[in-house]
């Protein structure tokens, strides 16, 4: 059986800065209104500069975030993000200087709100990291058994994963990068909802790294060909129930889908029904996930 990975934890102030600026730039609300107000002007100026140069705003922010997560000290992160978003390589340096100046203003505004960010973030990260050290191995072992029936490939889990902690600004958030063997999440001191503890977000993010790598490397399939993202939620929750991390009873699938920003109530309810049906009438997991994918596409088409 594949051995579960170790997580190498670190607190990232620079990724916290980009996380906050990107969140505001994408029009999402922050839990701290004053931080949001401080970032609106410089983040908006970044977007306006990008649009005036016909550069894709969403792609730029996502790539900048990924580059910062991979190497927070990379001086060319902004230029790389610009080129990825459609900027000419000949213009990337000049445009990067203008964008970098606005990003600097975002950084200054953020640190005015959190002048002791480095120390505070390190302290905020400790409880979650310590709890994972206690139950993480059991969680991932249980998820392995549920997905594979105890017959997982030896390379199912990566040997080590980087876990980057950032300042909470959305009341719980996270993401992953299978190419970099890493995930990031907000360092929440308390659970937003005790029914879905933040420790389960860690388990889900680590599982997402593994499933994406497996579908890409072993199955030669596109990562999005099966809805592993939402489909893996019940595996995490059912393992947590078995280990008494959450109470026994109906799994809070809809709530997890909401908290982990995977979809709205309709998507959560559909996933709940899918899981219940699969428990009653089991089929091979790829077949079941294909069915879930069809249901989710139907929901997306109905709302478009």
């Amino acid at each position: 059986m594949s051995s579960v990975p170790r997580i190498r934890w670190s607190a990232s102030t620079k990724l916290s800065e980009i996380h906050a600026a990107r969140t505001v730039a994408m029009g999402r609300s922050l839990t701290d209104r004053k931080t949001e107000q401080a970032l609106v002007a410089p983040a908006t100026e970044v977007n306006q500069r990008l649009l005036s140069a016909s550069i894709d705003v969403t792609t730029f922010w996502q790539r900048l975030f990924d580059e910062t997560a991979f190497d927070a000290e990379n001086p060319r992160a902004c230029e790389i993000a610009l080129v990825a978003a459609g900027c000419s390589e000949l213009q990337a340096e000049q445009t990067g200087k203008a964008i970098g100046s606005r990003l600097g203003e975002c950084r200054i505004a953020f640190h005015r709100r959190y002048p002791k960010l480095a120390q505070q973030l390190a302290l905020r990260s400790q409880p979650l990291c310590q709890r994972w050290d206690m139950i993480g191995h059991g969680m991932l072992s249980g998820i392995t058994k549920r997905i594979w029936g105890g017959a997982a490939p030896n390379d199912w889990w990566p040997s080590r994963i980087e876990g980057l902690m950032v300042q909470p600004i959305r009341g719980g958030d996270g993401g992953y990068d299978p190419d970099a063997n890493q995930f990031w999440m907000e360092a929440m001191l308390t659970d937003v909802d005790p029914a879905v503890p933040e420790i389960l977000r860690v388990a889900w993010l680590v599982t997402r790294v593994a499933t994406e790598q497996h579908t890409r490397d072993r199955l030669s399939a596109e990562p999005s060909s099966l809805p592993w993202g939402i489909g893996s939620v019940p595996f995490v929750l059912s393992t947590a129930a078995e280990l008494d991390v959450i109470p026994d009873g109906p799994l809070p699938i809809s709530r997890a889908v909401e908290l982990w920003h995977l979809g709205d109530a309709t998507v959560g309810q559909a996933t709940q029904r899918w899981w219940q049906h699969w428990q009653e009438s089991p089929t091979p997991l790829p077949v079941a996930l294909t069915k879930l994918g069809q249901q989710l596409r139907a929901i997306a088409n109905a709302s478009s």
Side-chain angles (χ1 to χ4, degrees):
M1 179 182 290
S2 174
S3 59
V4 301
R6 285 190 169 189
I7 297 178
R8 187 168 71 178
W9 300 96
S10 61
S12 178
T13 58
K14 291 191 175 181
L15 193 62
S16 296
E17 299 162 4
I18 299 301
H19 175 45
R22 180 181 69 160
T23 300
V24 173
M26 293 294 97
R28 305 185 185 110
S29 298
L30 272 59
T31 52
D32 182 358
R33 183 63 176 167
K34 291 184 178 180
T35 300
E36 183 176 338
Q37 291 174 338
L39 291 173
V40 165
T44 300
E45 289 183 19
V46 171
N47 287 355
Q48 291 173 343
R49 185 64 186 246
L50 294 172
L51 291 171
S52 67
S54 300
I55 297 170
D56 186 88
V57 172
T58 302
T59 301
F60 168 78
W61 283 107
Q62 182 60 55
R63 186 58 180 270
L64 178 63
F65 187 93
D66 292 344
E67 291 295 328
T68 304
F70 183 72
D71 181 3
E73 303 302 326
N74 183 1
R76 297 191 63 249
C78 183
E79 292 180 31
I80 293 172
L82 286 169
V83 173
C87 180
S88 165
E89 292 189 12
L90 297 176
Q91 297 295 322
E93 183 176 358
Q94 179 180 353
T95 305
K97 290 179 180 179
I99 298 295
S101 177
R102 303 289 83 78
L103 291 173
E105 292 177 11
C106 290
R107 184 176 301 111
I108 291 171
F110 189 70
H111 280 277
R112 281 176 180 163
R113 289 292 300 149
Y114 304 100
K116 298 181 179 180
L117 178 62
Q119 303 95 310
Q120 292 173 347
L121 189 54
L123 291 173
R124 292 186 67 95
S125 303
Q126 289 180 7
L128 194 64
C129 300
Q130 291 170 354
R131 190 176 187 199
W132 179 259
D133 288 342
M134 291 190 296
I135 69 171
H137 187 281
M139 282 293 304
L140 296 185
S141 295
I143 292 168
T144 302
K145 293 177 182 177
R146 280 166 169 76
I147 291 177
W148 290 98
N154 290 332
D155 58 352
W156 166 244
W157 296 111
S159 59
R160 173 173 288 185
I161 290 181
E162 302 283 337
L164 306 176
M165 307 300 285
V166 301
Q167 175 68 25
I169 58 169
R170 296 192 70 195
D173 199 2
Y176 58 93
D177 184 350
D179 294 325
N181 259 20
Q182 67 181 199
F183 69 90
W184 64 272
M185 66 179 293
E186 294 186 350
M188 300 290 290
L189 284 174
T190 59
D191 297 322
V192 179
D193 186 339
V196 186
E198 283 298 298
I199 199 72
L200 301 189
R201 193 193 301 266
V202 180
W204 179 75
L205 289 168
V206 173
T207 302
R208 291 300 291 123
V209 172
T211 54
E212 290 255 359
Q213 290 182 348
H214 183 77
T215 54
R216 180 192 62 197
D217 299 337
R218 293 291 296 270
L219 303 179
S220 299
E222 291 295 326
S224 59
S225 59
L226 292 175
W228 276 105
I230 293 180
S232 57
V233 171
F235 293 106
V236 173
L237 296 177
S238 58
T239 300
E242 180 180 325
L243 297 178
D244 294 326
V245 178
I246 60 176
D248 196 14
L251 299 179
I253 295 173
S254 293
R255 185 62 172 141
V257 168
E258 176 189 0
L259 290 174
W260 299 345
H261 306 296
L262 301 178
D264 59 16
T266 303
V267 172
Q269 292 164 7
T271 308
Q272 190 102 35
R273 291 192 298 270
W274 167 79
W275 175 255
Q276 291 172 351
H277 178 74
W278 191 53
Q279 296 300 292
E280 296 166 358
S281 304
T283 58
L285 184 54
V287 175
L289 288 173
T290 299
K291 182 67 173 177
L292 175 61
Q294 293 170 349
Q295 295 171 0
L296 296 176
R297 283 192 294 273
I299 292 172
N301 292 337
S303 61
S304 62

